[in-house]
Amino acid sequence: MTDALLTLDGLTKAYPGVVANDAVSFAIQPGEVHALLGENGAGKSTLVKTIYGLVKPDAGKMFLHGAPFMPANPRAARAAGVAMVFQHFSLFDALTVAENVALGMDDPPGQGQLGARIREVSEAYGLPLDPDRIVGELSAGERQRVEIVRCLLQNPRLLIMDEPTSVLTPQEVDILFKTLRKLAAEGTSILYISHKLEEIRSLCEHATVLRLGQVVATCDPREKTARDLAEMMVGSALHVPEREGGETGDMLLEVKRLSLPAPGGFGTPLRDVSLSVLSGEILGIGGVAGNGQDELLAALSGERPAPSGSILLRQRDISRLRPNARRALGLLAAPEERLGHAAAPEMSLTENALLTGDVRERLSSRGFIRWGKAREFAARVIEAFDVRTPGPDTAAGALSGGNLQKFVIGREILQKPDVFVVNQPTWGVDASAAAAIRQALLDLAQTGAGVVVISQDLDELMEIADHFTALNEGRLAPIRPARGLTIEEIGLMMGGAHDMDVADEAAIAEVLA
Amino acid sequence: MRFVLEKRPAPSRLMLGLTPILAVIATMLAGGVMFWALGANPVEAIRTIFVDPLFDPTFASYSRPQLLVKAAPLILIAIGLSLGFRAGIWNIGAEGQYIIGAVVGAGVGLAFYPTESRLVFPAMVLAGAFGGWVWAMIPALLKTRLGTNEILVSLMLVYVAENILASVASGLLKNPEGRGFPGSRNFARDYPAASNLELLPGTGMHWGVIAAFIAVIAAYVLMTRHKMGFAIRLTGEAPRAARFAGVNPTRLVVFSLGMAGALAGMAGLFEVSGPAGQISIDFGSGYGFTAIIVAFLGRLHPIGILLAGLLMALTYIGGELAQLMLGMPAAAIQLFQGMLLFFLLAMDVFANYRIRLKTREAA
């Protein structure tokens, strides 16, 4: 134990109503890439915040190089050699890269000297970065580099990375992994948090698995299959969706050259988006977060009206119709954000069933709500999709992410849509619920519905989609059959690596030719 | 050792029900201190405000009917306001809608003078509701068309309405037989067909009271059984989910501001044709503002508003009594009512947070 870099001993932290960490103990060796694995809510974030001095544990000790370590704040943690790259960046859009880096340092050198050092470090680790560029112009991958370089300038002994790849294309992931391996080879330890199993298998030497705040397993991820790891995370056997080659039929949904300005200044404009979905087909739309996914869903669901003639359902122009009129015609949708968008957290499941089920399930007559029918519909969704909850009177916000997602998806599928559009169907959902949801989407397509799945999880899309395309800055890549696509081609459709902008276009043309 | 506020995982239902009562108690305590500072016996002052109007042998016969007379407009207006407030639409200008409703309704009545027909009064009620509705449509249309802030527009329109009132009281609607004094004909005295009379002698029951009770029941049914009520609640709790559910925000703004305006306008008409008797320069009595307190004190719930309206009416009557008997200044009574809203909002903290005593952690 004495040669370990960081040792955690019995860390416990409770919040009202939940024990986030329950006597967590493990050790990180010098130069090791150590994975912290667990579902959403397993306690990963609380644990790393404790190490970084953002959270004070209720009990337990930490040792850094054998000496007691309990940072009172992040500054103390940084001084001890612990650095962290957050999932959500803390950068100022209007400032340059160098200015942003200086803001995050405890004693920054002068700007000229700093610029030189940024160049030096970023090149040494294969993370090209121009210190004079304005952060607002950078891609998500480049912004992450700013955060990483900021950490590296302080020569950390432990680098914590929280879900670093969720904003990256496959090419950018490769670049990042090369950097991390180089760092590890030089003796820096890396604590890598993720729920993407393949990544962990290719990058990490050691994994600690958390479930409900407790360490349930430690292993060498390279010796386990992704399925083994998932089962450790979930604690039960997994059901892998079955895919039978479905028959596709009539044209159901057609989007023709849809362009929409960005809503309210933030967000991404949709640029010239065209797609078509046949009966029995699942169209997968990949892409890095923030490239127009929410905007596309809002345009299809009817939350934002689209220009006339741009959205057709069975050859009928529905561009100007509001959500309920589209539902009546058979187009249903499920947005990404469960709490506050797909469902109202403080309302009961019955009320949430009414939220989208009114038109097709006839839950009201002459404006008056038939609560009995609404409750019964909610109960049917709960039953059919195995939603774990005391009953339809439970508030939606009281359900776990996976259970609420099953409810939200089930609510639409039970209404027998002709076309179903869903954004991030399994985001933050435990593996068994995710498998159930994917199977439900496949089953829906089998019955002849057209399904559009927007997702940032490429494995998921490859598993269920017949056709694949990707959103990149509000543009849709040409739709291609999913079978036979390589990860390289997918990456280029998603926008490639952003430091290769010039090479990009030519490469895409070459690959797609 | 120190006290810390710790966020509750979910708002406490018990505290949500309890805070109005705690707020009343805290107001009594703080108010008592204020009355004591003003040189009165605090216990006597509180008793004069809350108990004497109902039970004192000398005053009760006058005060008790007044309870309904004062509560009716407060409840009517607060019910209308609560619809918008639940959806996050802030109509602060009910006072203006109340005044314009009174002016338009009274104008229609006076136009028929001296026709004795059973239809005159119903026509005035409709005209009053219409007047209030039109006044509320101004902020509604400006908000939905131009994106203006309904709080500012509705509030500023109160002052416009007050000036219109002053103008018609001494011009258009002035009593031609009033020897040049400002103010319209007195409905109760001069024009029985157009007056809102006490229906049962000695109870204070008039058409406005009946309208207020109907409004409470209708609002309850709307909020619990009707799609529009669901849309209002959904918009208040999760605006994005409401949009996803297909709630039309424009229609919601027009509906809730319109209902609030119509109810406030009706309240104004019932007041001008009954208790007030005539259009006069000082007709605006602040009911439209006090109703905001009533709506929140009643937790924006119809039954709660009914109770809160009665309580607030009691402080009005009791306040008048305290002015009369104890020589309290009128401002002290307004301060007392203001304290009620202040304490209610302050107590709300305990619905969302709990207090914990924390010992200092070892660093």
Side-chain angles (χ1 to χ4, degrees):
Chain A
M1 286 288 270
T2 45
D3 57 348
L5 173 74
L6 179 72
T7 309
L8 311 184
D9 184 13
L11 284 183
T12 298
K13 174 72 187 176
Y15 291 108
V18 59
V19 180
N21 289 151
D22 188 359
V24 173
S25 304
F26 64 89
I28 302 170
Q29 307 302 325
E32 174 185 61
V33 185
H34 192 116
L36 189 55
L37 195 58
E39 296 174 357
N40 281 35
K44 295 171 297 188
S45 296
T46 304
L47 190 64
V48 295
K49 282 182 185 161
T50 307
I51 300 173
Y52 195 55
L54 284 165
V55 167
K56 281 198 182 44
D58 299 332
K61 298 188 190 104
M62 294 189 282
F63 301 93
L64 193 68
H65 285 302
F69 173 64
M70 189 57 73
N73 51 47
R75 176 186 282 258
R78 283 195 296 266
V82 176
M84 179 159 173
V85 176
F86 289 91
Q87 190 175 1
H88 301 285
F89 306 141
S90 45
L91 297 174
F92 294 93
D93 280 357
L95 301 181
T96 65
V97 169
E99 285 163 339
N100 266 291
V101 168
L103 279 174
M105 294 176 77
D106 294 324
D107 45 5
Q111 284 289 316
Q113 200 192 339
L114 184 64
R117 284 205 55 204
I118 289 174
R119 251 181 240 234
E120 184 188 320
V121 169
S122 68
E123 272 159 31
Y125 291 97
L127 301 169
L129 205 55
D130 179 352
D132 299 325
R133 275 185 70 189
I134 303 290
V135 163
E137 299 167 355
L138 302 184
S139 73
E142 288 169 311
R143 284 169 198 232
Q144 186 181 53
R145 282 180 207 166
V146 179
E147 297 262 7
I148 296 173
V149 167
R150 176 152 77 190
C151 290
L152 295 185
L153 282 175
Q154 312 188 44
N155 301 315
R157 284 181 289 175
L158 175 65
L159 179 63
I160 304 172
M161 305 215 62
D162 189 3
E163 300 269 354
T165 59
S166 57
V167 295
L168 302 182
T169 64
Q171 279 82 355
E172 288 173 327
V173 170
D174 280 346
I175 295 173
L176 174 68
F177 280 14
K178 278 193 194 117
T179 306
L180 295 181
R181 288 197 187 99
K182 186 165 194 294
L183 274 170
E186 290 172 5
T188 307
S189 304
I190 293 158
L191 183 58
Y192 188 89
I193 299 147
S194 181
H195 57 236
K196 294 188 181 167
L197 307 170
E198 290 298 345
E199 279 178 9
I200 284 176
R201 289 187 59 234
S202 75
L203 182 69
C204 304
E205 298 137 39
H206 202 97
T208 298
V209 185
L210 282 182
R211 186 163 75 230
L212 300 175
Q214 292 176 322
V215 175
V216 291
T218 53
C219 63
D220 183 341
R222 291 167 300 187
E223 292 168 0
K224 302 280 177 189
T225 65
R227 194 187 166 111
D228 292 337
L229 293 174
E231 286 177 7
M232 285 181 207
M233 261 163 62
V234 183
S236 66
L238 277 183
H239 173 73
V240 175
E242 293 154 23
R243 181 86 176 112
E244 290 168 34
E247 294 277 304
T248 54
D250 305 338
M251 172 76 76
L252 286 180
L253 178 72
E254 233 184 322
V255 177
K256 289 181 176 170
R257 316 205 59 171
L258 166 66
S259 293
L260 266 185
F266 297 98
T268 311
L270 293 177
R271 305 173 218 252
D272 212 10
V273 169
S274 297
L275 60 84
S276 60
V277 184
L278 306 179
S279 167
E281 179 193 9
I282 298 182
L283 172 66
I285 301 181
V288 169
N291 273 295
Q293 287 92 339
D294 287 346
E295 290 78 5
L296 180 59
L297 184 112
L300 292 176
S301 73
E303 286 164 84
R304 283 185 78 201
S308 289
S310 57
I311 304 176
L312 309 176
L313 185 69
R314 290 211 168 86
Q315 269 92 55
R316 181 179 165 169
D317 184 7
I318 59 164
S319 317
R320 307 299 300 166
L321 296 185
R322 300 188 50 82
N324 277 329
R326 296 189 191 194
R327 286 186 183 114
L329 293 172
L331 174 60
L332 303 187
E336 169 182 3
E337 183 59 57
R338 289 183 283 274
L339 295 173
H341 195 183
E346 278 161 41
M347 289 187 159
S348 71
L349 291 179
T350 302
E351 288 171 302
N352 274 294
L354 177 69
L355 202 144
T356 67
D358 181 21
V359 185
R360 288 179 83 80
E361 294 293 315
R362 301 179 193 284
L363 302 182
S364 67
S365 71
R366 296 171 188 220
F368 284 90
I369 297 162
R370 296 150 99 173
W371 282 117
K373 268 193 102 173
R375 196 169 190 284
E376 184 207 314
F377 175 51
R380 269 197 289 137
V381 176
I382 291 168
E383 166 77 28
F385 282 81
D386 188 28
V387 180
R388 311 275 164 79
T389 170
D393 301 325
T394 314
L399 268 61
S400 74
N403 277 309
L404 183 55
Q405 186 70 10
K406 284 196 277 186
F407 183 84
V408 165
I409 302 271
R411 177 179 70 186
E412 309 304 327
I413 288 181
L414 278 197
Q415 294 180 50
K416 302 192 174 67
D418 293 339
V419 175
F420 181 39
V421 183
V422 55
N423 188 7
Q424 294 276 67
T426 61
W427 175 77
V429 164
D430 60 72
S432 57
I437 288 168
R438 288 180 197 136
Q439 186 64 54
L441 294 174
L442 290 169
D443 293 345
L444 180 66
Q446 285 273 297
T447 64
V451 181
V452 179
V453 180
I454 305 169
S455 176
Q456 286 152 47
D457 185 339
L458 289 177
D459 297 335
E460 168 171 277
L461 292 177
M462 288 304 103
E463 190 174 300
I464 63 175
D466 300 296
H467 283 86
F468 179 85
T469 178
L471 272 168
N472 181 18
E473 292 178 352
R475 284 196 186 81
L476 209 56
I479 296 177
R480 307 186 59 204
R483 191 162 297 178
L485 274 180
T486 65
I487 205 78
E488 181 85 325
E489 290 168 321
I490 292 170
L492 288 171
M493 287 166 90
M494 286 165 65
H498 278 274
D499 59 324
M500 302 188 281
D501 273 345
V502 194
D504 242 16
E505 314 258 308
I508 291 177
E510 193 179 310
V511 168
L512 300 183
Chain B
M1 288 217 295
R2 64 203 166 110
F3 290 102
V4 291
L5 284 176
E6 191 177 87
K7 196 159 172 50
R8 295 175 192 269
S12 156
R13 299 236 165 231
L14 174 73
M15 281 315 254
L16 279 178
L18 218 56
T19 47
I21 297 164
L22 290 176
V24 170
I25 294 170
T27 306
M28 284 185 180
L29 292 175
V33 172
M34 178 181 77
F35 293 132
W36 172 75
L38 286 167
N41 177 343
V43 177
E44 193 186 346
I46 297 295
R47 199 196 64 218
T48 308
I49 293 175
F50 285 100
V51 183
D52 284 357
L54 298 179
F55 301 108
D56 186 274
T58 332
F59 306 117
S61 63
Y62 165 78
S63 303
R64 266 190 214 156
Q66 281 293 308
L67 190 65
L68 289 181
V69 169
K70 300 271 191 213
L74 289 175
I75 294 169
L76 209 49
I77 300 169
I79 287 284
L81 291 179
S82 70
L83 302 180
F85 290 174
R86 294 269 309 246
I89 298 161
W90 306 106
N91 174 9
I92 305 298
E95 179 75 8
Q97 294 142 23
Y98 168 84
I99 289 171
I100 296 297
V103 167
V104 173
V108 165
L110 293 170
F112 283 110
Y113 179 81
T115 318
E116 286 292 329
S117 162
R118 282 165 172 272
L119 296 177
V120 173
F121 187 66
M124 288 167 67
V125 174
L126 290 179
F130 177 74
W133 179 80
V134 167
W135 211 242
M137 275 307 104
I138 300 173
L141 292 181
L142 287 175
K143 181 181 175 70
T144 54
R145 295 288 147 110
L146 303 174
T148 59
N149 182 322
E150 77 278 12
I151 300 176
L152 296 177
V153 176
S154 65
L155 180 61
M156 289 191 292
L157 282 170
V158 172
Y159 304 107
V160 178
E162 281 174 348
N163 281 301
I164 291 176
L165 174 73
S167 159
V168 297
S170 50
L172 194 60
L173 299 182
K174 193 168 80 170
N175 183 358
E177 293 152 25
R179 298 192 205 106
F181 284 105
S184 71
R185 286 182 200 277
N186 190 309
F187 290 96
R189 203 177 54 218
D190 307 338
Y191 192 9
S195 69
N196 175 19
L197 298 170
E198 200 174 27
L199 298 171
L200 295 168
T203 58
M205 177 74 82
H206 63 66
W207 286 110
V209 179
I210 292 174
F213 279 116
I214 293 174
V216 168
I217 295 164
Y220 185 80
V221 173
L222 178 86
M223 294 311 282
T224 56
R225 305 255 159 226
H226 198 273
K227 275 163 71 175
M228 185 50 100
F230 181 70
I232 287 171
R233 287 192 293 134
L234 190 58
T235 304
E237 287 187 23
R240 267 187 98 192
R243 189 159 297 190
F244 174 61
V247 174
N248 183 335
T250 302
R251 260 167 63 184
L252 199 72
V253 169
V254 169
F255 173 82
S256 55
L257 277 170
M259 282 302 285
L263 290 177
M266 249 198 247
L269 181 276
F270 289 128
E271 189 70 15
V272 74
S273 57
Q278 64 177 148
I279 288 287
S280 59
I281 290 172
D282 57 357
F283 171 74
S285 51
Y287 279 139
F289 291 117
T290 311
I292 297 171
I293 307 181
V294 171
F296 279 101
L297 196 60
R299 287 255 163 253
L300 306 181
H301 187 283
I303 309 295
I305 288 171
L306 177 68
L307 299 174
L310 290 169
L311 177 72
M312 196 54 82
L314 188 62
T315 66
Y316 261 112
I317 303 160
E320 278 172 17
L321 211 56
Q323 287 178 45
L324 193 71
M325 302 302 297
L326 307 171
M328 286 290 123
I333 303 306
Q334 285 173 8
L335 207 61
F336 191 71
Q337 290 174 342
M339 274 183 202
L340 199 53
L341 183 64
F342 170 81
F343 279 114
L344 182 77
L345 295 178
M347 292 289 175
D348 267 0
V349 169
F350 299 114
N352 291 312
Y353 294 86
R354 65 176 136 229
I355 298 185
R356 279 222 330 204
L357 191 64
K358 205 170 184 179
T359 48
R360 239 167 198 284
E361 289 172 46

